[in-house]
Amino acid sequence: MDKFIADQKGGIIQTGSKEDIRDAFEDTYVDTYQDELEAQHPGEQNEDVVEGMIDRGLLALNFDGRIAAVK
């Protein structure tokens, strides 16, 4: 998260909406991690578990609050 903020502080964080910023973060970091976990633990039920873990992780990061602090 810190690397993303540092890399994008003058870019999408200043110009994008909350949704655009979240999408950029997910495209850059989260999707790759999610794909790796789903490949290691295949199956519909595991996919749901992985998605839930990712969602809780983003909440724990206080993503929106941290982005708002640097805007």
Side-chain angles (χ1 to χ4, degrees), residues 47-68:
E47 187 175 307
D48 293 341
V49 170
V50 168
E51 287 177 11
M53 286 177 11
I54 297 289
D55 291 342
R56 286 187 301 279
L58 288 171
L59 285 173
L61 282 173
N62 186 22
F63 185 87
D64 292 334
R66 291 181 70 186
I67 294 300

Side-chain angles (χ1 to χ4, degrees), residues 30-42:
V30 177
D31 290 348
T32 301
Y33 183 62
Q34 183 173 348
D35 291 345
E36 289 176 15
L37 286 173
E38 289 174 355
Q40 292 173 10
H41 307 282

Side-chain angles (χ1 to χ4, degrees), residues 2-3 8 10 16 18 22-24 27 32 35 39 45-47 52-54 58 60 64-65 70:
D2 292 334
K3 181 174 177 9
Q8 297 298 325
K18 283 184 187 181
R22 182 179 290 271
D23 287 345
D27 290 348
T32 301
D35 291 345
Q45 183 178 7
N46 288 337
E47 187 175 307
M53 286 177 11
I54 297 289
L58 288 171
D64 292 334
V70 292

